[in-house]
Amino acid sequence: MGTQRHARVMRVLLAAALLALAAPIADAARATLRAARPGGTPLVLEARSTDAEWIIRVTEAGAETQVITVETDLPERRPFLADADGDRAADLWVPVIGGNASTAWDLWVMQPDQARFRRAGEISGVGFSRDQAGRLVALGREGCCTVSMLFHRIGADGVLSEVFSVNRRLDDYGPQRCTGNAIAEPAPPAVVRAACALEAGRMPGVRLGPP
């Protein structure tokens, strides 16, 4: 009898431990987001994750307008909303891959008049901002001593593309410690100078990111 009672107690304790471990994961696997949009009521996004994807249902005034499914390696990290293109409508950022401090996000830009989101592309970094020209900037690290600011543009077709970058060495104080690099177009000298003058860790324009 003592052995059976001990076994029952151990099963109860094990079940309680498993529930305690599962609770934070279950809590993190669901989120309700309200996406503001100019000239209309906010869209409501009900997000839930499985082991391999985020499923996000978009509703307008209670009516479903879209279901977004994104494969992910980060089902425990929640999506967030931030205006990526400066049109005052909240855009959807869904986490897909994590590595060191950097996270890759699937970016979906809101189409306010259609109460829907359109996928723009994937963007990765340790921090993000939107500069005065409306470009989306991703801050990244390269090794121990170099940081990069990768400038993106969201085109009229809604596609996210890399435009140019500014690379800055933190262990070098010479004239080449901070330089602009062309990708789709040359890095404007004024933008390079302004980015190079920022304190370490600062980013141009309005900082974006999860709450």
Side-chain angles (χ1 to χ4, degrees):
M1 291 294 292
T3 301
Q4 293 177 349
R5 187 182 305 112
H6 178 74
R8 285 197 298 271
V9 170
M10 291 303 295
R11 286 196 295 270
V12 170
L13 291 176
L14 178 59
L18 290 174
L19 285 174
L21 288 173
I25 297 175
D27 179 64
R30 292 182 179 271
T32 300
L33 308 172
R34 293 176 63 84
R37 56 176 176 154
T41 57
L43 302 179
V44 177
L45 285 70
E46 295 289 347
R48 66 178 180 85
S49 66
T50 67
D51 289 340
E53 61 186 13
W54 274 100
I55 302 167
I56 301 154
R57 299 186 181 277
V58 182
T59 60
E60 179 188 26
E64 186 175 287
T65 61
Q66 185 179 17
V67 178
I68 297 170
T69 302
V70 177
E71 293 184 2
T72 183
D73 290 336
L74 301 173
E76 76 288 348
R77 184 161 189 177
R78 300 184 185 197
F80 72 96
L81 298 170
D83 182 4
D85 56 4
D87 66 352
R88 297 187 297 116
D91 302 313
L92 174 64
W93 301 61
V94 185
V96 288
I97 302 172
N100 297 324
S102 180
T103 300
W105 303 82
D106 215 36
L107 177 60
W108 291 68
V109 175
M110 187 197 290
Q111 300 173 279
D113 57 334
Q114 300 179 34
R116 295 175 61 86
F117 293 81
R118 178 169 58 183
R119 185 179 185 273
E122 187 176 298
I123 186 169
S124 178
V126 299
F128 305 95
S129 69
R130 190 183 66 249
D131 74 359
Q132 293 181 345
R135 291 174 294 242
L136 192 57
V137 187
L139 181 67
R141 292 193 66 91
E142 298 179 13
C144 69
C145 307
T146 302
V147 296
S148 66
M149 297 181 196
L150 185 55
F151 289 72
H152 303 71
R153 182 176 286 117
I154 299 174
D157 58 358
V159 176
L160 181 71
S161 60
E162 298 176 354
V163 185
F164 58 85
S165 67
V166 177
N167 293 338
R168 182 178 183 179
R169 290 193 61 86
L170 303 179
D171 61 343
D172 186 352
Y173 296 94
Q176 297 301 313
R177 71 182 181 88
C178 191
T179 58
N181 300 278
I183 301 177
E185 61 188 57
V191 175
V192 176
R193 287 194 298 270
C196 291
L198 292 171
E199 296 178 6
R202 296 287 300 276
M203 299 186 67
V206 179
R207 192 76 180 245
L208 307 174

